[in-house]
Amino acid sequence: MENESYVKHNCDHYKDSRYDDLNHRKYGDKEVDVCIVGVGAAGGVLAYELSKAGLDVVGIEAGPFWDPQVDFASDELHAYRLNWQDTRLSDGNDALKFGPNNSGRGVGGGTTHFTGVFYRFHKSDFRTKSTDGVGEDWPITYEDLEPYYTKIENDIKVSGPKQFPWGPFNGPYPYPEREPISAWAQVFREGCEVLGIRSSVPPLAILSAPFDGRPPCTNRGFCNEGCKPNAKFSTLIHHVPKAIKYGAEIITDSMVTRILVDQDGKAQGVEFNHDGSYYLQKAKVVIVSAFAVETPRLLLNSACSQYPDGLANNSGLVGKYLMTHSGHDIFAKFDEEMRLYKGTPVMACTQDFYETDPDNDFLRGYTLNAHGDRPVALSKILTADAGYWGKDLREKMLDFNFYSQITMVGEVLPQKDNCVTLSDQKDEYGLPRPKVIFNYCENDNKMIEHGVEKANQIFKARGGKPTFVAADTGHLMGGCRMGDDPDNSVVNGYCQSHDISNLFVCDASVFTTSGGCNPTNTVLAIAARTADYIIQMGKKGEF
Amino acid sequence: MEKGKTYYPDFDVLDSVKEWDPVTADVVLKRLGPFPPLKFLTDEEESKLRVICKHLMYDNRDEIFDWVIHSIDARLNDKTGEYQRSSKAPPEHILVREGLKAINDLSRKLYDTDFLSIGVQEQFDIIASLQVGEAAQIPQWSQIPQKDLFDKLLILTVAPYYSHPTIWSEIGYGGPAHPRGYYRLEIGLADPWEAVRKREGNKGDDDGGE
């Protein structure tokens, strides 16, 4: 059956077409080389790289195989389905919010609804213990990741400035920056200019020119709701269709409930649930790419007689050192119309406050992103995060078109007590729900205070009136951190479990520190590097 | 009051509906009704919830809240998940159901009559006391954390409310834009189909009443 759909044309990898049952599995009872749990940002890259290298790959995704033309709408409420909706218990003084804030569901995972911001980490991000005495050093350096950043940016044609002022890579990016920028980003840059703060347009995984059959961005603004024109990159539309073409099988609507181990303590595959029935997928290598809550949860829920505390958990650190980014949203009202709804969500930024500054009363730093918004997101910020309702809310929202927004992406220091554990409440599979505890530390709070003040200064320098600030967070990282010491980390620098050599964890949960910028590029670069390592293992006959 | 306070009295986002992709148009137009019967909420719950939703949004137009109630009902009837909740709070459908009962009991304790029979100001006072977790003590609060209840009611209301095209028009939101897109982005520029500001005065300066 011919399938003309851009995204799904390679989905017809079965004989005739795609089936909604599991009676036509490509590998069935056979053992494949690699089984990937979660086909999101990292899982998509892994499926692509490993299948391209000739390995037999199965990716198992809890959510559906989205078709942007049918499943996405230009609508915020409708887009809730792109988020991981399963209930997590969330506690702590700064209890985290999930769903649209950070967690994706369905093929593409969070990349279907991320803003497309595509920074590289700075060199210092990998060495915070050595340079600042906080956090922990990664087992890898910027230089280890550099070729993979370059590869990913070229593979997906990141659009960015010809000269980016901060960090180790200053451009040019593969595709030219998108232009023009929206009014709300323009006032950000003008305010920065007045204060002598450097600003730039950000690198974006959003096309400024046609590529690979996809059109450039139309400034429709719904990056967080799923890109219908396919101008914004996601693994759903880039890596996964290509992986399928190389032979990978993507099983969707299937929740992996357990990783299985053999008598020797090696991973031997996974158990998954599709429509109420359980199935097995045997594999020589298992990679867990289910993101910072579900990955530790699955490892903990896979406890067995050989590993009573959960898999890959001899260190006891599975689920520990969970991080987010402080993501306070700062709003100012302008006399002119800003129209936050136009353009991609982030169109200007500064990283002038990224590195540790001895004049500050905190260590490490943050990015400020000029940020667009739509009515539901803004009203949720005003209500859930800032506490407005009734007349106050109504009046604030009538000024919708006059706000400019700056969103902070602040480094959060890793703390062992910020963690994912298993609760005593069960989900529909009978598995314990994850319980997440999060508190900011003093350094985090001082940094937030600094970032909010700096954002308000930028607004005021351009004539904006600071109007409200909402406590918010963005992204999740950590929970299965990488390190050289098996007692102090879950995986090594190649995302390989210290305890089980054919079990990998590859997603943002391996982050040792959070960095002070949007993490997706780093997730993809780590995945590409892990894929190379697994390909080499295969060539050496190590699995 | 609503039209009186908008900067954009002439703007109707639905004038562009023919430019929207069919999936989006279908999603948005369904918000205008008619709506199927409620599946989760009882009539009694619905009438209490409707009043609370109106107060939370400071708006009295039933045609908007027909949609809001429909949306909340669908959400409470769908057990897919609620992203997160405090480990002290029950699942959202129980939180709302028991919370509405508790609000009524609170009204009886404070005013000797049902929530729907007390004055608007008293209703506002009850809602405001929940937000800060300082409502008068009744036994239910040990099972229904007040702030969790308030936050849940607010978040369940605000998302559908600000998804209604009438509200979009009032705030001058340009709405869905696929496949057309937006092209005039810079300060002072607007695409010809976007809202044009007609009122210069700040909303606080006019005489529109609730």
Side-chain angles (χ1 to χ4, degrees), chain A residues 154-213:
Chain A
N154 275 303
D155 278 359
I156 69 171
K157 300 293 179 255
V158 170
S159 306
K162 290 170 189 66
Q163 220 282 326
F164 188 69
W166 308 277
F169 177 71
N170 304 116
Y173 282 89
Y175 267 32
E177 67 194 52
R178 300 178 59 266
E179 52 185 355
I181 60 171
S182 292
W184 47 266
Q186 210 177 326
V187 293
F188 171 86
R189 297 203 67 178
E190 289 172 10
C192 285
E193 200 66 21
V194 171
L195 299 176
I197 297 168
R198 292 171 297 172
S199 73
S200 174
V201 297
L204 296 171
I206 301 170
L207 295 175
S208 58
F211 166 63
D212 200 23

Side-chain angles (χ1 to χ4, degrees), chain A residues 13 23 37 72 104 109 137 145 150 194 271 333 403 514:
Chain A
H13 57 298
N23 295 325
V37 180
F72 297 175
D137 289 347
L145 273 190
T150 303
V194 171
E271 170 196 81
K333 194 179 160 193
Y403 296 126
S514 74

